[in-house]
Amino acid sequence: MNSEDFDVLAHCAAWARDESPVVLATVVKTWGSSPRPEGAMLCIRGDGRVVGSVSGGCIEDDLIARFKRSESRPVRPEIVEYGVTADEARRFGLPCGGTIRLVLEPVSSESKIAALFEAVARGELIARTLDLRTGASSLRRASAAEAVTLVGNVLTTIHGPRYRMLVIGAGQLSRYFCEIARGLDYQITVCDPRDDYADDWQVAGSRLSREMPDDLVLQMRLDARCAVVALTHDPKLDDLALMEALRTPAFYVGALGSRRNNAMRRERLREFDLTEWQIARLRGPAGIYIGSKTPAEIAVSILAEVTAAKNGVDLADAMRVPAAKARLDDPSHFTAACSIAASAHL
């Protein structure tokens, strides 16, 4: 679930609480190219005010025009499709003749949107089921592997953070890093047993732990939807945590520091009986080269690499695509850029 969809739930709950007529549109199926994924939401108030998006184009305009007219609002959940024909695809701005199927739901107390929003705000991952025949819904805890489904007359949508982020260190860089990561919808845990850093930690949307990082790694039971980033520059805190993290399926394990410092770190990790394959998983220096100098820019560079890893993008290949700058088309320039990135993260 991304920040836009969280905002949709917040507005939907507030508008319904004010007893305004509200319709929630949810993408449940797409064919061909679609600008919005399944599960994307749009909330429409009776006066035409909207938040969210289901297509990024004319479908929103059509829905707004429709629901401004009270006689056109659904009285119970219904399914609609846009882009079934080539003419409709052109009319609604759908690329490549794409088709979008939506569920339109008039929001009521039975929708449980307020309870859903409160659970998601607490960082919980929630499955919401909607009976299209009655409009009644129910909430339960979900697993990260679940997805949007429409089976018969029952729609199930998943809401809340699907990915977890463990940040080791509560310094200045970590503040910028966590503020951006929050916008990327990670469930963030910051670990720092040092009072001088932890006492002043105040970043909304993050949980602070004062335990030793390696102990916390074991407690969190990291899975393939987890990322670990060590930002302390202190081997006593970073190394043992990285050792444990590299044994897990975490999709990203990275550490701040120069190439020299990370080479020394890899040598230390070899003393912990890690395999060469496990050590090779360490992203160090963490981040991609963007000429970063300030803590905020370094945070962006690291999170760009984390995002690429999450999305299965090989950055070396991505930097050599035709649309990239000519200097980066040459692998030798890419290697040189990585060397510069190392010095930037000292």
Side-chain angles (χ1 to χ4, degrees):
M1 178 177 201
N2 59 37
S3 297
E4 180 183 12
D5 292 336
F6 182 80
D7 199 34
V8 170
L9 291 181
H11 281 81
C12 191
W15 292 343
R17 187 170 56 248
D18 293 339
E19 299 185 352
S20 300
V22 179
V23 173
L24 180 64
T26 303
V27 177
V28 296
K29 186 70 175 177
T30 64
W31 295 268
S33 299
S34 173
R36 297 288 285 144
E38 294 174 5
M41 298 182 296
L42 170 74
C43 187
I44 311 172
R45 199 166 66 178
D47 60 1
R49 185 177 175 187
V50 300
V51 61
S53 174
V54 292
S55 76
C58 295
I59 288 179
E60 283 81 358
D61 294 338
D62 185 72
L63 290 172
I64 292 168
R66 174 179 175 180
F67 297 130
K68 276 187 174 180
R69 304 187 301 271
S70 58
E71 67 274 8
S72 299
R73 298 171 194 156
V75 295
R76 63 178 60 85
E78 63 182 52
I79 299 173
V80 298
E81 289 186 357
Y82 285 90
V84 175
T85 67
D87 287 342
E88 285 180 322
R90 286 191 294 271
R91 175 188 171 196
F92 295 114
L94 297 174
C96 304
T99 300
I100 296 179
R101 177 179 292 167
L102 306 172
V103 165
L104 307 179
E105 173 191 358
V107 176
S108 68
S109 59
E110 293 186 333
S111 303
K112 294 184 170 59
I113 297 297
L116 174 61
F117 170 70
E118 291 170 1
V120 170
R122 292 193 298 267
E124 298 176 15
L125 184 62
I126 300 295
R128 174 176 177 261
T129 59
L130 172 69
D131 188 327
L132 302 186
R133 296 166 298 185
T134 65
S137 63
S138 62
L139 308 178
R140 62 170 173 81
R141 289 291 185 95
S143 69
E146 292 184 80
V148 176
T149 60
L150 178 59
V151 180
N153 291 304
V154 178
L155 170 66
T156 301
T157 51
I158 310 301
H159 308 268
R162 292 172 179 263
Y163 286 85
R164 292 184 289 161
M165 174 84 72
L166 172 59
V167 179
I168 301 170
Q172 183 188 35
L173 172 57
S174 297
R175 294 177 186 274
Y176 288 104
F177 186 90
C178 291
E179 287 170 354
I180 301 171
R182 183 189 179 199
L184 297 173
D185 297 296
Y186 285 94
Q187 186 181 68
I188 305 167
T189 300
V190 176
C191 182
D192 202 323
R194 303 170 298 180
D195 291 342
D196 289 345
Y197 290 88
D199 285 350
D200 294 327
W201 181 260
Q202 291 182 346
V203 175
S206 66
R207 179 178 75 90
L208 176 67
S209 170
R210 295 174 182 261
E211 298 185 57
M212 289 301 295
D214 54 316
D215 292 335
L216 185 59
V217 168
L218 294 174
Q219 291 176 26
M220 289 181 65
R221 299 180 181 273
L222 303 178
D223 56 31
R225 293 176 179 267
C226 296
V228 179
V229 185
L231 301 177
T232 72
H233 278 304
D234 186 343
K236 297 189 298 297
L237 297 177
D238 290 346
D239 286 5
L240 290 177
L242 292 170
M243 174 194 72
E244 298 296 350
L246 289 169
R247 300 184 196 274
T248 73
F251 75 87
Y252 183 95
V253 181
L256 192 67
S258 66
R259 292 184 66 182
R260 178 175 177 273
N261 286 341
N262 274 283
M264 294 170 60
R265 175 179 286 116
R266 289 183 173 89
E267 288 302 317
R268 294 193 299 269
L269 290 173
R270 288 186 175 91
E271 299 176 6
F272 296 138
D273 195 31
L274 290 174
T275 67
E276 287 301 317
W277 180 84
Q278 289 170 330
I279 293 173
R281 294 185 60 225
L282 176 65
R283 309 289 186 116
I288 64 173
Y289 177 67
I290 56 172
S292 53
K293 298 292 191 297
T294 67
E297 291 175 343
I298 294 171
V300 170
S301 77
I302 298 174
L303 281 165
E305 185 178 52
V306 173
T307 302
K310 178 173 74 73
N311 294 336
V313 174
D314 184 325
L315 284 171
D317 288 342
M319 298 286 268
R320 290 195 290 268
V321 298
K325 291 183 179 180
R327 284 177 55 84
L328 294 177
D329 285 345
D330 184 341
S332 65
H333 288 298
F334 181 79
T335 301
C338 291
S339 299
I340 298 170
S343 61
H345 291 178
L346 282 171

